Amino acid sequence: MGNITEAEARDVLGRSTGPVSATPLTHNPKNGVTAGVWTVTAGERTAVLKVLTRTKEATGRWAASDDPRHWNYWLREARVYDSGLAQSWRPYGIRAPRLLARVERADGDVALWLEHVRGEPGTAWPLARHIEHARRLGAAQGAASVPDEPWLSHRFLRQYVASNTVGEELLDDDAAWQQPLVRDHFPAGLRQDMVRLHHDREWFLDVMEALPRAFSHLDQWPANVRTQGRDSVSFDWAFAGDGALGEDLGNYLPDSVFDLFVPAADLPGYAARAYDAYLHGLRESGSRVDERLVRLGLCASVVKYDWLTAAMLARAGEERQLDYGGERAVSAELRYRERGLTLAFLAGWAAEARALAPQVGFPEAPSGR
């Protein structure tokens, strides 16, 4: 079974007489820190196995790092579980799967054996459940400061954005914007808005790094959450670290649409209700942070998607478009329409951030002068 040994499975799941079987789970196969993720069953017991590695071949941005502050530090997720930080949001209704075992393997890899959470995946949640998750996230992030651990990611957003360079040269290429998928499905004016966002990138990053901080997951999106009873269970803590208040929500909301879990037509109302819920959670936790700073954190987090427009220009000629994990084909027309509408919505966030920042003491964006 490759990365799954029967002896290890039986040590963790018990010496059942039943056979050991494994089913691969959807994940990002390009990431060099992940050797694989499986649901493993031995007899009547089931767990999730995630193997962390630094020896997997990965090119460019997805290469594993040995730097504990790097956004793609290979051992971070194990550290988050070992320290208990993965469960630090539990009082507010968000928890991680229980860690059943951490196995140091002879080849240097680390196997995380995790509780198999059987609840409804966030990819199938109704909007009301996403909004409740936003409230819980606000309560959790308003209750505590960023832990002082040397292996938590630092300046994640700056590193992540800088690592995404695919298609940057196409932003000013007339022919790239005339490709049928782009021409027919991107809203009018999107080119100007996204080119401006790219040119203002350093300003947005500076703003995000100066805002009030929170312990952040930094990969919050519907595919990384499930229900378990009354709890939200959050997976994949590999990027966890220092973020701005509002940053996790600013990732969760557009990713709900980018990967076709929520229709783009629902995004304006959904985002407004989720932000109000997040702010309500902050106040429930006792946080008295200036609401304008929270709003700025949400809106300025749009800089994370600076790379996406360029990447879509680069991929508009691909005949076959695949979903996350590369397992199934998706409609290229649907993807480009929904993402185009979402990018146009995010351009509104960018404009709001430029207007709001000077009101709370930040310099104006360069292109706004």
Side-chain angles (χ1 to χ4, degrees):
M1 290 186 290
N3 274 290
I4 308 158
T5 67
E6 183 167 342
E8 188 176 291
R10 293 200 184 282
D11 284 344
V12 175
L13 296 175
R15 295 288 171 177
S16 165
T17 57
V20 174
S21 62
T23 303
L25 293 176
T26 301
H27 64 286
N28 178 4
K30 298 178 182 178
N31 198 331
V33 308
T34 309
V37 188
W38 301 266
T39 300
V40 181
T41 299
E44 296 181 353
R45 298 195 63 191
T46 302
V48 170
L49 169 63
K50 184 172 187 177
V51 178
L52 310 181
T53 186
R54 54 182 164 181
T55 60
K56 175 181 171 181
E57 289 189 13
T59 57
R61 60 184 298 263
W62 290 113
S65 175
D66 287 318
D67 177 0
R69 289 296 198 185
H70 190 275
W71 71 274
N72 210 31
Y73 172 49
W74 79 279
L75 197 55
R76 180 173 297 114
E77 188 160 18
R79 302 284 193 208
V80 173
Y81 276 101
D82 290 343
S83 68
L85 279 176
Q87 303 297 354
S88 62
W89 291 349
R90 186 164 194 159
Y92 311 98
I94 302 176
R95 67 174 181 87
R98 289 181 295 111
L99 179 64
L100 306 178
R102 178 192 197 271
V103 180
E104 304 270 353
R105 293 183 168 177
D107 60 3
D109 289 353
V110 173
L112 299 179
W113 288 87
L114 303 166
E115 167 194 6
H116 181 221
V117 178
R118 301 177 185 274
E120 184 179 29
T123 56
W125 283 358
L127 286 182
R129 181 62 182 176
H130 291 297
I131 291 161
E132 170 59 16
H133 183 72
R135 184 196 65 78
R136 296 177 183 201
L137 184 61
Q141 293 188 321
S145 58
V146 181
D148 183 21
E149 298 288 357
W151 38 260
L152 289 172
S153 64
H154 183 62
R155 305 182 87 186
F156 166 84
L157 199 55
R158 184 177 295 274
Q159 294 181 45
Y160 180 87
V161 170
S163 74
N164 285 273
T165 59
V166 173
E168 280 187 351
E169 72 283 356
L170 299 177
L171 286 170
D172 294 312
D173 185 327
D174 291 342
W177 287 91
Q178 286 303 310
Q179 296 176 95
L181 280 174
V182 176
R183 181 194 63 221
D184 296 343
H185 300 290
F186 276 13
L190 186 62
R191 177 177 180 176
Q192 179 180 352
D193 289 335
M194 292 299 103
V195 169
R196 183 179 182 188
L197 176 64
H198 184 68
H199 290 318
D200 287 353
R201 185 168 76 178
E202 287 300 311
W203 178 85
F204 278 95
L205 291 170
D206 288 344
V207 167
M208 288 298 292
E209 290 173 356
L211 287 168
R213 315 317 290 163
F215 173 53
S216 301
H217 183 279
L218 298 172
D219 198 16
Q220 281 280 307
W221 66 304
N224 274 344
V225 289
R226 278 182 177 263
T227 55
Q228 182 70 50
R230 298 183 64 178
D231 289 336
S232 294
V233 183
S234 189
F235 305 91
D236 199 356
W237 294 79
F239 301 158
D242 165 59
L245 278 177
E247 184 173 341
D248 269 343
L249 185 63
N251 188 87
Y252 190 95
L253 295 173
D255 269 11
S256 301
V257 182
F258 284 142
D259 288 284
L260 305 176
F261 306 134
V262 172
D266 291 343
L267 181 56
Y270 165 43
R273 292 172 62 197
Y275 173 71
D276 286 346
Y278 181 83
L279 192 64
H280 184 69
L282 283 174
R283 297 302 182 230
E284 280 184 322
S285 72
S287 172
R288 294 296 175 262
V289 65
D290 187 336
E291 187 270 337
R292 295 175 299 173
L293 296 175
V294 182
R295 184 68 188 179
L296 183 57
L298 176 79
C299 292
S301 71
V302 66
V303 71
K304 183 178 181 183
Y305 298 103
D306 168 50
W307 67 274
L308 183 57
T309 305
M312 294 189 71
L313 293 175
R315 294 167 183 160
E318 294 178 2
E319 293 184 6
R320 191 163 184 257
Q321 302 271 336
L322 299 176
D323 66 357
Y324 174 79
E327 296 178 350
R328 292 174 297 184
V330 298
S331 164
E333 289 77 12
L334 176 63
R335 166 174 278 170
Y336 274 74
R337 186 192 73 217
E338 293 293 281
R339 288 189 173 183
L341 290 170
T342 304
L343 289 169
F345 176 83
L346 294 181
W349 274 5
E352 186 176 345
R354 293 187 188 98
L356 182 56
Q359 300 176 26
V360 289
F362 289 91
E364 291 184 355
S367 57
R369 290 175 178 164

